[in-house]
Amino acid sequence: MKRPWVYGLIAAAAATVVVLLLIWRFPDAVTGRDGQIDLVQSLLILLLVGSSAVLYRGMSWGRAARMAAIWVVAFAVLITGYAFRHDMRSVWDRVAGAVVPHAPVAGIDGGVVIHAGNHGHFVVEAAVRGDGGTDARIRFLVDTGASDVVLSPADARRIGLDPATLAFTRTYRTANGNVAGAPIRLNRLAIGSIVLDDVRASVNSADMNRSLLGMSFLNRLSGYSVDGDRLIMRP
């Protein structure tokens, strides 16, 4: 005589043993109230689904055992993923940085992390708002040797500025000699979660391969540092 409820009890007992072992191995995963509530909810869902599967049409012992094993493994994977969620986030950030190095990655305490490109330099994509009132996505080369944020003429046009109407009254010394720049103010410059208003900048008189993220932005941060191939900016 088949007794499906027995199979359900066996599956529930096996799942409970696995959960207890995982809690013993990773106690920090359920120390908080939220973690404990999530655990109880997951156990109830597992018990409900597992019991329904076992009781459905007098499932055979072999099939019940396979179903129980599947649910136990699935639950173990979920618990393990939760316990290692911070490590998994770190791995994902590394992968994202390797694939799209100019994209800012969220760091701790509201900061952002930029990964160096294949050339070894830090290039970051920022949202820049000029007088036009709309944001333009501009990629900057991080340059601690530049006193200001420097826009190329092409990028200046993207935020609504016409270089022909600007006054190039400032002289900058660069590795290629002196160049003229037109002082401007950027209404907004945002890199990930870091947002600065009224940023001092200039438009270069000559074409540039890349606009520069200089010290008029970096000096307004609470700090920034380089750790290997990572640039860490703190708001």
Side-chain angles (χ1 to χ4, degrees):
M1 182 178 178
K2 296 181 178 180
R3 295 181 179 179
W5 60 271
V6 175
Y7 305 149
L9 289 177
I10 294 174
T16 301
V17 171
V18 171
V19 171
L20 292 175
L21 288 174
L22 288 171
I23 293 175
W24 172 78
R25 180 62 181 83
F26 309 109
D28 293 338
V30 291
T31 52
R33 181 176 179 81
D34 291 339
Q36 294 169 358
I37 293 175
D38 290 340
L39 176 61
V40 172
Q41 290 177 341
S42 300
L43 283 173
L44 291 175
I45 293 172
L46 177 65
L47 181 61
L48 176 62
V49 176
S51 299
S52 299
V54 171
L55 295 173
Y56 178 69
R57 292 184 181 178
M59 187 179 298
S60 66
W61 166 254
R63 188 176 180 186
R66 288 194 297 270
M67 291 295 295
I70 291 173
W71 282 107
V72 168
V73 171
F75 193 73
V77 170
L78 290 175
I79 290 293
T80 303
Y82 179 81
F84 286 96
R85 62 193 183 281
H86 299 301
D87 296 310
M88 293 172 67
R89 174 63 181 273
S90 178
V91 171
W92 168 250
D93 288 346
R94 296 290 295 179
V95 172
V99 176
V100 190
H102 61 265
V105 177
I108 60 175
D109 298 329
V112 298
V113 177
I114 309 300
H115 291 81
N118 295 331
H119 42 63
H121 299 294
F122 295 104
V123 174
V124 59
E125 186 173 87
V128 181
R129 182 179 301 169
D131 293 332
T134 58
D135 291 344
R137 308 298 299 184
I138 295 176
R139 293 184 186 179
F140 289 93
L141 174 67
V142 179
D143 186 358
T144 57
S147 57
D148 289 342
V149 173
V150 181
L151 294 179
S152 68
D155 286 338
R157 295 185 187 95
R158 295 181 59 196
I159 64 170
L161 297 176
D162 183 1
T165 64
L166 300 177
F168 292 87
T169 59
R170 185 171 296 172
T171 300
Y172 294 94
R173 295 179 180 179
T174 70
N176 297 322
N178 293 339
V179 297
I184 61 170
R185 308 292 294 194
L186 300 176
N187 290 341
R188 183 176 183 268
L189 197 158
I191 299 176
S193 59
I194 298 177
V195 180
L196 297 182
D197 297 324
D198 192 28
V199 178
R200 188 180 78 241
S202 67
V203 177
N204 203 49
S205 59
D207 290 334
M208 304 168 61
N209 292 330
R210 185 80 69 191
S211 294
L212 304 178
L213 190 71
M215 297 306 296
S216 62
F217 177 86
L218 298 174
N219 276 339
R220 291 179 58 181
L221 303 176
S222 64
Y224 62 92
S225 59
V226 175
D227 181 12
D229 64 345
R230 302 189 308 155
L231 171 64
I232 303 169
M233 297 181 181
R234 294 177 289 276

